[in-house]
Amino acid sequence: MVVLLMLVVAAALGRAEENTVTLSGTVVAVESSGTHSAIPGATVTLSGVDVSRKVIADDRGSYSFTIVPPGRYGIEAVAPGLQGSATIDVKAAQSVDVLIVMTIASLKESVTVNADTEATMLVDSQQQTEITRSTILNSPTKDDRADTLLPLIPGVVRGPDGLINMKGARSSQGGALLNSASVADPATGIPAMNLPIDVVQSTTVISNPYDPEYGRNVGAVSKVETTTGNFNNFHVSLQNVFVRPRKRDGDFVGIESATPRTTITGPLVKDKIAFTESFEYRFIRTPVESLPQLQRDMKFEGFTWFNQVDANLSSRQTMTASFMLNPQKLNYLGLNTFTPQPSTPDLHQRGEMAAVQHRFAISSDSLLVSQFSFKRFDVDVTANSGAPYEQTVETTNGGFFDQQARRSKHTEWREIYQFERRGPLGSHLLKVGTD
């Protein structure tokens, strides 16, 4: 009886092997010369009725599927940037070899939108729009500086003179704050200092800055808050280390632009005192194409050094001290087709600012903020030639006619106390202060 059962099983297995086949082949790409090149590591998928298998091609581009029942199958091969497919009818007791020719995969674009608890741009009921840190780091900006973020906000545009205009007012009719301290030129009211985006935590535009703490403004107020230093670990970043050569008349002549910057942050006393230091050097030549090859460039050169120290004095008291140095030099200001280099002026600016801010949480619903800031901003306008200034129909001759030397400084001390009061008419947030 046992022998008979074994004979029946052996016969059944023999019939099953007769109804299965081995399917193998090679994955290749066709070169421009017409020769075939094997594609190793390609993923090959076999699909059919009640059959789905996947293998990886070996170093010679070969693949193999064993014990495949008869039927119609689709074979698809995929590799980085390549794809190929084939269809085959498999018959019983037949070994099949399938060559899969791969071609360049078609470009497919997809956008995935995920919900995020952190909004990249916040607008509140007081018409105050804020750009948060994630947008600052990820949005494309022309020169990676704080003022280039402002046109992302509705109602903020950059005028033909390169200055930022907010809420339809001129640049001098608005306000500019850095950590609540004014960075406007004391003489003109135009924002005079700027920061690289590496140290910017948020940028806010207040459309209706009519509270007394913002001063007298017709337009809006921009407010920049810097990042807090890292109290636990050191972090160093280095950006834009490569320079761009200047090409004139088919040859490389000097440097067209160089904008390296670095930022360092870390603890001085762990969990107590942290520092942030940022250096940026900017050298940029801007050509006027209608002028001669080597006499067509306006040249900007500037340096920004920002230093900040954050301290946790106690569970209720924190303090931030910052210092910024921002000298700039612009050669051939106003260069154009009708005003050559000798007739343009040079503009030299020297700005420095120091500020200390102390925050004291007196209770859970009251806060006292004390701030002292000092700012100096000097400007010199000099001529490139001592010859008399002459304007003609086609060009301008001589040196610039108006030389200027301006010295200005601004010292400010602010005390602001805000507290909450609850009564029969509800809760009220009150703020009093002096400047």
Side-chain angles (χ1 to χ4, degrees):
M1 186 68 179
V2 175
V3 174
L4 180 61
L5 181 61
M6 293 177 62
L7 292 175
V8 172
V9 172
L13 292 175
R15 287 193 299 269
E17 290 182 357
E18 289 179 356
N19 291 330
T20 59
V21 297
T22 299
L23 194 155
S24 59
T26 307
V27 181
V28 300
V30 180
E31 303 288 348
S32 58
S33 60
T35 59
H36 289 178
S37 297
I39 306 298
T43 301
V44 184
T45 304
L46 178 69
S47 302
V49 179
D50 298 330
V51 175
S52 179
R53 300 181 188 177
K54 184 182 295 184
V55 297
I56 304 298
D58 59 18
D59 295 340
R60 297 186 298 274
S62 301
Y63 67 93
S64 177
F65 297 95
T66 58
I67 314 179
V68 177
R72 188 175 182 85
Y73 293 95
I75 306 174
E76 183 179 5
V78 178
L82 298 173
Q83 64 180 8
S85 60
T87 303
I88 186 69
D89 290 320
V90 177
K91 298 180 180 179
Q94 178 185 6
S95 295
V96 181
D97 186 276
V98 180
L99 181 69
I100 301 179
V101 179
M102 304 190 73
T103 58
I104 298 175
S106 60
L107 179 63
K108 297 180 180 180
E109 295 183 357
S110 63
V111 177
T112 302
V113 180
N114 296 321
D116 192 352
T117 57
E118 179 185 4
T120 57
M121 189 176 294
L122 307 175
V123 182
D124 65 11
S125 58
Q126 298 177 349
Q127 297 186 4
Q128 176 174 307
T129 308
E130 177 183 353
I131 301 177
T132 58
R133 180 71 173 168
S134 59
T135 303
I136 291 171
L137 295 179
N138 298 318
S139 296
T141 55
K142 182 179 180 180
D143 52 11
D144 295 334
R145 296 180 70 79
D147 67 334
T148 57
L149 299 168
L150 294 176
L152 297 175
I153 297 176
V156 181
V157 297
R158 188 180 295 275
D161 54 2
L163 300 177
I164 293 293
N165 302 322
M166 299 180 292
K167 199 183 173 183
R170 293 191 297 269
S171 182
S172 60
Q173 295 175 321
L177 304 177
L178 174 62
N179 293 334
S180 300
S182 174
V183 291
D185 184 347
T188 64
I190 297 174
M193 297 183 183
N194 206 350
L195 283 176
I197 62 174
D198 299 332
V199 297
V200 177
Q201 178 65 33
S202 65
T203 300
T204 306
V205 171
I206 305 171
S207 299
N208 296 323
Y210 303 134
D211 292 342
E213 64 179 295
Y214 299 120
R216 296 176 295 178
N217 298 288
V218 176
V221 167
S222 65
K223 183 170 63 174
V224 174
E225 298 291 336
T226 58
T227 58
T228 303
N230 195 320
F231 285 92
N232 298 313
N233 301 299
F234 287 93
H235 178 73
V236 180
S237 65
L238 183 63
Q239 309 286 342
N240 300 345
V241 295
F242 297 105
V243 302
R244 177 184 295 177
R246 180 177 64 159
K247 190 174 183 179
R248 295 291 181 268
D249 200 19
D251 296 324
F252 290 105
V253 183
I255 296 174
E256 182 171 298
S257 65
T259 57
R261 70 178 189 272
T262 182
T263 302
I264 306 171
T265 183
L268 295 176
V269 178
K270 196 168 185 179
D271 296 328
K272 289 291 185 180
I273 304 176
F275 78 97
T276 301
E277 213 162 7
S278 181
F279 303 88
E280 182 186 40
Y281 172 76
R282 299 182 66 80
F283 178 89
I284 300 174
R285 282 190 171 109
T286 304
V288 177
E289 300 297 337
S290 57
L291 294 176
Q293 292 280 343
L294 299 180
Q295 300 176 14
R296 60 171 53 175
D297 296 315
M298 287 186 290
K299 185 175 71 173
F300 173 85
E301 188 174 11
F303 174 75
T304 301
W305 174 41
F306 177 78
N307 191 0
Q308 178 174 296
V309 177
D310 299 282
N312 292 324
L313 302 179
S314 67
S315 60
R316 292 186 176 185
Q317 298 185 66
T318 61
M319 186 178 69
T320 299
S322 61
F323 175 76
M324 181 168 60
L325 190 65
N326 188 210
Q328 298 179 359
K329 179 172 62 176
L330 182 58
N331 293 342
Y332 311 121
L333 176 64
L335 184 69
N336 57 55
T337 303
F338 305 103
T339 308
Q341 288 182 350
S343 300
T344 58
D346 291 341
L347 176 67
H348 297 256
Q349 299 180 166
R350 296 175 301 279
E352 57 188 50
M353 177 179 176
V356 178
Q357 187 180 77
H358 177 265
R359 297 167 292 272
F360 180 30
I362 300 175
S363 63
S364 60
D365 56 4
S366 61
L367 176 67
L368 176 64
V369 179
S370 305
Q371 179 171 287
F372 175 82
S373 63
F374 171 79
K375 175 180 56 183
R376 183 168 63 187
F377 192 72
D378 301 337
V379 177
D380 293 318
V381 178
T382 59
N384 280 297
S385 171
Y389 188 80
E390 300 177 356
Q391 286 186 322
T392 63
V393 175
E394 295 183 351
T395 187
T396 304
N397 301 316
F400 190 67
F401 61 91
D402 185 12
Q403 299 188 29
Q404 301 180 19
R406 188 175 74 234
R407 306 289 180 263
S408 60
K409 58 184 178 180
H410 177 88
T411 305
E412 185 177 20
W413 173 32
R414 302 176 66 188
E415 295 285 345
I416 296 178
Y417 176 59
Q418 61 184 34
F419 56 96
E420 184 179 8
R421 285 292 178 265
R422 300 177 180 89
L425 300 179
S427 299
H428 301 270
L429 182 63
L430 306 177
K431 183 183 293 187
V432 296
T434 180
D435 190 306

